[in-house]
Amino acid sequence: MGNGKETREPGEELMQKIVSLCKRRGFVFQSSEIYGGLKSAYDYGPLGVELKRNLMNEWWRDVVHSRENVMGLESSIIMHPEVWRASGHVAGFSDPLVDCKLSKERFRTDKAGPVEVQSDGRLVIRAPDKAAAKLWAEAVKTQHAPGARVETRDKDVVLHTKSVAPPAEGRPGKIVLAGFDGGPDVEIPYRGYVTPDFNCPFLSEERTFNLMFRSFLGSVDPLAEVVDVFVANKDKSKLELRALIEAALAKSTVYLRPETAQGMFVQFLNCLNAVSMKIPFGIAQMGKAFRNEVTVEHFTFRSCEFEQMEIEFFCEPGTDDQWLEYWKNERMRWWRQYANNPDKFVFRRHAKAELAHYAKDCYDIEYEYPWGFGELEGIANRTDYDLKKHAEASGQHLVYTDSARNDPATGKPPLRFTPYVIEPSGGATRGTLVYLIDAYSEETRRDAKGEPVVRTVLKLHPRLAPIKVGVFPLVKKDGMPEKAREIVEEFFRAGINSRYDEQHAIGRRYARHDEAGTPYCITVDGQTIQDDTVTIRDRDTTAQERIKVDEALSVVQARLGKI
Ligand code: ATP
């Protein structure tokens, strides 16, 4: 810092290395990079698209193709706008937002922490540099807390607190600041949080911001509608005008889905009737979701366009607790089985106060990212809330009738109920990032001269690895390229993604495939031409074995089959 050298957190440094590898090897690119990039949008390159698809295919195989009681669905991204009104997304899917009056930073209040006050009562607002500290101190003195004792020390603005009381039991919170030169104390409002990073308590009012992307369907020109309303109502207040414009646009407004889940609730009856499932059963869907996130952060961790893998599992009320337990364990098993460091995946049960009002219980599967623990998947008991809401709004009977318990001989009425729902809802793009982080490793070895050489390896699980086998001719002559291409063809025919590579020395080819996460490399050399054997190199151990050419496919198939 003071010596001009940049110092970085170890986690941040690791992320920079991963981001750079992603670009170098073609996993993830910034969207529209040649135009300066689009904030928070990412493209999956030749290797990234394979990795993400492999992950999603593994999920589908595990939750749909390995279970008799889960069926798949692909619903549309743009749905009837009533879906989002009934689900509560139009009214409530919003983040509370606030602006910092000093830094002008906009942040989510639910992500901000309490004020830090030192043991001697000093409240230090951390400005980015000395000049900013001076300006901020001036603004505090003249606008935000006139009369308070304010000093600057290097990049810090220092205030002196006499007491700090967060809001409690309906009472607003406040911070009492010491007055300038022994003058009277100055009270400022305190809502229990400050600007992250700066520790600034001077904040704007909270506002909410809907996270759904809005668009317009049909041949309407929304701007023309807005202009018409405006021209006809010039005398109205801003608030009234807004309501009139909203009403005029309502007939054509549609939303990009912010989650895949609602598609499964609204197709519940169709799925049930088409496949005659017996309860308990699930509907699974994976695909794109869109949220106009206020803060986008940590590479692809939180982006505006992302992919989800969700299951709605319908069960009889009373059995919901045990199904929540079942799915929470199933999902943890699934995430951990592809990981090098399974201990980095943990459960976090939501505290009662944190639960959505309709949820009975919820566990997050969290991962220890380089910047700390964060969500990867949520497994919630959503009760019968969603089906009942859609039944109410659509007028359809979204209920389950148990025909097995509908025996006329007993005289009992058929058993009909609104199922409870257990929802495991995970991120596919976030999961892809998790496995990239989990796989990234650097090994330092000594070369022939004793110099340290760093080997970067992506230790991706073979089933997730974009390329399963690299096939190389040792040199570009003596029939080696032809033989290597024959082997590649054989892998292609078996549906195994393999790549022929003859560029550069063999060591560089191995290094390239280590970074791509290719678990096996097969090399055709002089001996192959004599005895029909090749070497197969293991990415993680770098050990090489000689195997028969005609066994290469079955050896790789056997190793790929293992989970
Ligand atoms: P967070 O607390 O991280 O904002 P959330 O609780 O809003 O997540 P859910 O609505 O439960 O997330 O969505 C389920 C899953 O979808 C999350 O666990 C995450 O893996 C993924 N997800 C949600 N929002 C995003 C996003 N903006 N970018 C990438 N993945 C996301």
Side-chain angles (χ1 to χ4, degrees), residues 21 35 82 118 136 184-185 187 288 311 334 409 420 426 548:
L21 182 139
Y35 290 103
E82 280 306 320
Q118 298 181 358
W136 290 9
D185 297 344
E187 272 184 28
K288 293 250 174 176
I311 308 166
W334 187 83
Y420 265 39
K548 288 239 172 263

Side-chain angles (χ1 to χ4, degrees), residues 263-334:
M264 296 179 271
F265 293 124
V266 299
Q267 292 297 359
F268 163 78
L269 265 193
N270 277 337
C271 286
L272 182 63
N273 294 338
V275 188
S276 352
M277 284 283 196
K278 297 269 168 295
I279 241 163
F281 71 88
I283 307 179
Q285 158 153 245
M286 53 191 192
K288 293 250 174 176
F290 303 82
R291 296 182 189 178
N292 197 0
E293 297 276 8
V294 177
T295 32
V296 284
E297 53 186 354
H298 305 308
F299 196 33
T300 57
F301 174 79
R302 188 184 308 287
S303 43
C304 291
E305 177 176 341
F306 56 99
E307 287 193 79
Q308 291 188 309
M309 307 183 292
E310 297 192 297
I311 308 166
E312 304 305 328
F313 193 78
F314 302 94
C315 62
E316 192 172 338
T319 63
D320 47 312
D321 291 343
Q322 85 207 40
W323 283 112
L324 178 71
E325 186 63 19
Y326 171 83
W327 278 109
K328 120 184 199 269
N329 294 331
E330 277 293 271
R331 296 303 306 138
M332 182 60 104
R333 170 193 62 76
W334 187 83

Side-chain angles (χ1 to χ4, degrees), residues 501-531:
D501 191 349
E502 59 174 26
Q503 262 180 40
H504 304 122
I506 192 80
R508 280 179 67 185
R509 282 180 261 170
Y510 284 145
R512 205 156 47 228
H513 278 273
D514 284 345
E515 284 200 345
T518 308
Y520 311 110
C521 289
I522 288 175
T523 302
V524 172
D525 54 16
Q527 203 177 320
T528 312
I529 310 304
Q530 290 162 17
D531 65 3

Side-chain angles (χ1 to χ4, degrees), residues 93 95 108 110-111 211 258-259 289-291 293 295-297 300-310 335 350 362 364-365 369 374-379 423-431:
F93 190 61
D95 278 346
R108 276 171 63 174
D110 56 339
K111 300 278 177 201
L211 297 183
E259 59 176 36
F290 303 82
R291 296 182 189 178
E293 297 276 8
T295 32
V296 284
E297 53 186 354
T300 57
F301 174 79
R302 188 184 308 287
S303 43
C304 291
E305 177 176 341
F306 56 99
E307 287 193 79
Q308 291 188 309
M309 307 183 292
E310 297 192 297
W335 284 112
H350 284 213
C362 181
D364 281 349
I365 294 180
Y369 299 91
E375 181 177 333
L376 171 61
E377 171 156 352
I379 301 118
E423 178 189 80
S425 164
T429 38
R430 203 174 275 186

Side-chain angles (χ1 to χ4, degrees), residues 226-234 241:
V226 172
V227 171
D228 286 350
V229 172
F230 184 74
V231 169
N233 298 281
K234 274 199 197 123
L241 255 179

